[in-house]
Amino acid sequence: MSKLQLKPHVFKEYDIRGQAGTDLTPDFARLLGYAFGQLAKEQGHKKAIVGRDNRTSSPELAANVIIGLRRAGLAVVDLGQVVSPVFYWARLHYEVDPGIMVTASHNPPQDNGFKIALGFATIYGAAIQDLRQRMENLIDEFDQEVRGLPPVEEQRPNPAYIEMITEKIKLDRPLKVVVDCGNGTASDVAVDLYTALGCEVVPLYCQSDPTFPNHHPDPVQPKNLVDLIKTVQENKADLGLSFDGDGDRIGVVDDQGNILWGDQLMILFWREILPKYPGTTAIVEVKCSNALVDEIKKLGGQPLFYRTGHSYIKAKLKELNAPFTGEMSGHIFFADEYYGFDDALYAGARLIRFLAQQEQPLSQLLKDVSRYYSTPEVRVHCPEGSKEKVVEAVKEHFKKAYEVIDVDGARVLFPNGWGLVRASNTQPVLVLRCEAKTKDELNEITAAMEEVLQRFPEVGEVSWG
């Protein structure tokens, strides 16, 4: 074990993630379990919970995490193969706070990773780096032999999870739903859940297969929704639902085959939720459309812009005791009637319930929303050491003439729209997005943003798509 070299790049902002077998080995997983187990024991915990996604490397990594946790003196509840939301819920259901979920979410099949839960949610930022340092400090100590390891208790929580949601969600009428799991881990639970709710389910790629042979399980990419759109149209379904590899991000297609992005979904959910919480603060991720801001104000809420990143959003939700929020990426957080963590399967159930209460089809429900023209989310290469410098320069440039929201990068408020540049938390890229009331105004905003970025030779070429 003393020969193990920890690679700094795998310790990300929200989780640990890298290539299985090279970056993340069985030895790495054992040491991670051991170091995290020591941390949990210091906080008074006696038991930890472990789940894993359906990747080829996940069973071996999970088994070694369990060894490490037990060698640290913790008993283990082994959930087997589950989506991340079931892992989150199982912590509450089995009353076990510390936990490790083995998953690389929507990364390529050869990757894997670990989401580490302690307290309200998964740890992130400085806490990830603290765990890395703890692992470094324990490499030699881990070689010591331990006898009489604590027990492992196997649990399979999917049936209880489905029962929990069906008790919370009742439909006014049955709907026809196409469910595309992209052969990811949601294949084990999604069809059973929506069938139990009373829906007519048309399954698409709902056989667990870690090679992801049909398309990658990442609903943010339109190319991964092509088959879902076609199947919804062919079956005259009420809607289509798509899930990422570990089931915490949702993609939605309406009855006409139109993609509904995260901010559009939030408009629909706020219409149900805000009347129950008059005047509440509504967290808006900086990448979201002004259409969402307009709708929140119309419903009597108080928009609050906040930074991108599911860990940050989740923490802000708890801090403000807010009932609901979400991200463009499809992470949706319900504290209203639910637990506050990102659960795409539950979000799908809430959307189905909301739609079943309407007289109009899903494709008609956003017809009255403010119309804006926008770019897609654009990613431009920028070296790690330069990202923050460039963002700061953009902010200072535009502050001379416009209001700038700087909670995460720079969202520049132009008279008839906005432009955003922010540093990615996970890649050596700048993330750009612009929006305006007309196409001409959008072109003016993109040109203004691009002109400033071009002053930096280290910034890659901008293609607005």
Side-chain angles (χ1 to χ4, degrees):
M1 176 63 71
S2 59
K3 294 180 181 178
L4 177 64
Q5 297 293 315
L6 303 183
K7 299 180 180 179
H9 72 269
V10 307
F11 295 87
K12 309 291 189 184
E13 184 71 13
Y14 312 125
D15 55 22
I16 296 169
R17 206 176 295 194
Q19 192 167 70
T22 53
D23 298 330
L24 307 179
T25 62
D27 282 350
F28 182 102
R30 283 201 304 279
L31 179 59
L32 172 64
Y34 186 62
F36 179 67
Q38 294 275 32
L39 174 62
K41 272 192 72 177
E42 289 170 11
Q43 296 188 12
H45 298 288
K46 298 179 180 178
K47 189 180 287 190
I49 200 161
V50 175
R52 56 178 166 84
D53 69 13
N54 74 329
R55 291 169 183 270
T56 305
S57 58
S58 291
E60 183 180 38
L61 290 176
N64 280 277
V65 163
I66 290 170
I67 291 171
L69 289 166
R70 295 174 72 203
R71 290 186 70 169
L74 293 183
V76 174
V77 177
D78 179 9
L79 304 177
Q81 184 171 301
V82 292
V83 291
S84 288
V86 168
F87 165 77
Y88 298 146
W89 174 76
R91 296 173 62 218
L92 303 170
H93 183 62
Y94 298 116
E95 298 181 339
V96 178
D97 183 81
I100 295 179
M101 175 71 188
V102 181
T103 179
S105 185
H106 59 281
N107 275 37
Q110 67 270 22
D111 286 359
N112 218 318
F114 307 92
K115 291 180 178 177
I116 299 145
L118 191 62
F120 170 68
T122 49
I123 66 173
Y124 61 94
I128 298 256
Q129 297 306 319
D130 289 345
L131 182 58
R132 170 192 165 192
Q133 188 58 56
R134 186 178 282 264
M135 290 173 69
E136 293 276 10
N137 296 341
L138 291 171
I139 283 178
D140 293 329
E141 180 183 326
F142 186 78
D143 283 337
Q144 298 170 8
E145 187 176 348
V146 178
R147 298 181 182 277
L149 297 179
V152 178
E153 169 191 348
E154 290 190 356
Q155 294 286 355
R156 297 295 176 261
N158 280 355
Y161 169 82
I162 291 172
E163 183 180 356
M164 175 270 297
I165 292 183
T166 55
E167 287 175 355
K168 292 177 178 293
I169 302 289
K170 306 295 181 185
L171 304 185
D172 286 3
R173 59 187 174 93
L175 297 182
K176 181 185 284 191
V177 184
V178 181
V179 174
D180 181 358
C181 294
N183 302 110
T185 316
S187 302
D188 295 336
V189 65
V191 172
D192 289 344
L193 170 62
Y194 298 118
T195 301
L197 287 172
C199 297
E200 180 184 346
V201 178
V202 180
L204 181 66
Y205 311 142
C206 292
Q207 300 81 34
S208 176
D209 185 339
T211 66
F212 310 134
N214 296 290
H215 65 75
H216 204 62
D218 182 3
V220 168
Q221 301 295 328
K223 65 183 180 181
N224 296 326
L225 300 175
V226 170
D227 290 352
L228 178 61
I229 291 169
K230 180 183 176 184
T231 307
V232 166
Q233 293 171 329
E234 288 177 347
N235 287 271
K236 296 182 170 54
D238 294 292
L239 75 163
L241 302 177
S242 179
F243 304 99
D244 73 340
D246 69 327
D248 61 4
R249 291 189 302 125
I250 190 171
V252 176
V253 170
D254 72 19
D255 51 289
Q256 297 300 309
N258 303 304
I259 299 170
L260 271 59
W261 299 114
D263 48 8
Q264 295 172 298
L265 292 176
M266 283 183 269
I267 288 173
L268 298 177
F269 288 132
W270 274 125
R271 287 178 177 176
E272 178 189 31
I273 294 169
L274 251 171
K276 296 192 277 184
Y277 304 88
T280 196
T281 299
I283 301 166
V284 178
E285 184 209 6
V286 291
K287 292 187 293 185
C288 288
S289 170
N290 272 346
L292 174 60
V293 177
D294 295 343
E295 188 74 17
I296 288 168
K297 290 177 178 176
K298 186 169 124 185
L299 293 167
Q302 306 295 322
L304 173 70
F305 281 104
Y306 200 61
R307 65 186 300 177
T308 294
H310 62 89
S311 295
Y312 294 109
I313 291 269
K314 221 179 308 193
K316 196 67 174 178
L317 184 86
K318 179 173 173 59
E319 175 194 330
L320 298 177
N321 196 28
F324 169 76
T325 190
E327 287 190 284
M328 286 292 293
S329 62
H331 287 281
I332 305 291
F333 309 86
F334 287 90
D336 172 68
E337 299 184 34
Y338 208 58
Y339 306 102
F341 55 75
D342 36 343
D343 184 341
L345 295 159
Y346 177 76
R350 282 289 288 254
L351 181 61
I352 289 167
R353 184 180 76 178
F354 178 76
L355 182 56
Q357 295 167 348
Q358 313 303 314
E359 294 182 0
Q360 293 180 309
L362 183 55
S363 56
Q364 296 298 309
L365 295 183
L366 293 170
K367 291 293 186 184
D368 59 341
V369 171
S370 306
R371 174 98 185 260
Y372 291 93
Y373 295 87
S374 65
T375 68
E377 184 178 315
V378 175
R379 292 176 174 262
V380 180
H381 179 77
C382 186
E384 287 293 350
S386 302
K387 292 190 302 187
E388 300 298 340
K389 177 187 73 173
V390 173
V391 170
E392 188 65 24
V394 172
K395 182 171 70 176
E396 292 304 317
H397 171 83
F398 284 111
K399 273 172 65 174
K400 298 167 187 171
Y402 305 106
E403 181 183 350
V404 177
I405 296 170
D406 61 1
V407 68
D408 184 5
R411 179 170 168 137
V412 184
L413 306 186
F414 295 93
N416 291 305
W418 54 271
L420 171 73
V421 56
R422 58 175 290 274
S424 168
N425 290 318
T426 56
Q427 297 174 294
V429 299
L430 297 175
V431 179
L432 315 177
R433 190 166 189 247
C434 300
E435 181 181 74
K437 289 185 177 178
T438 69
K439 288 183 179 179
D440 288 343
E441 288 165 339
L442 179 62
N443 290 334
E444 290 172 9
I445 291 173
T446 57
M449 299 295 287
E450 193 170 344
E451 191 274 325
V452 179
L453 291 171
Q454 285 176 341
R455 299 177 187 178
F456 298 88
E458 61 267 47
V459 176
E461 185 179 346
V462 179
S463 175
W464 293 104

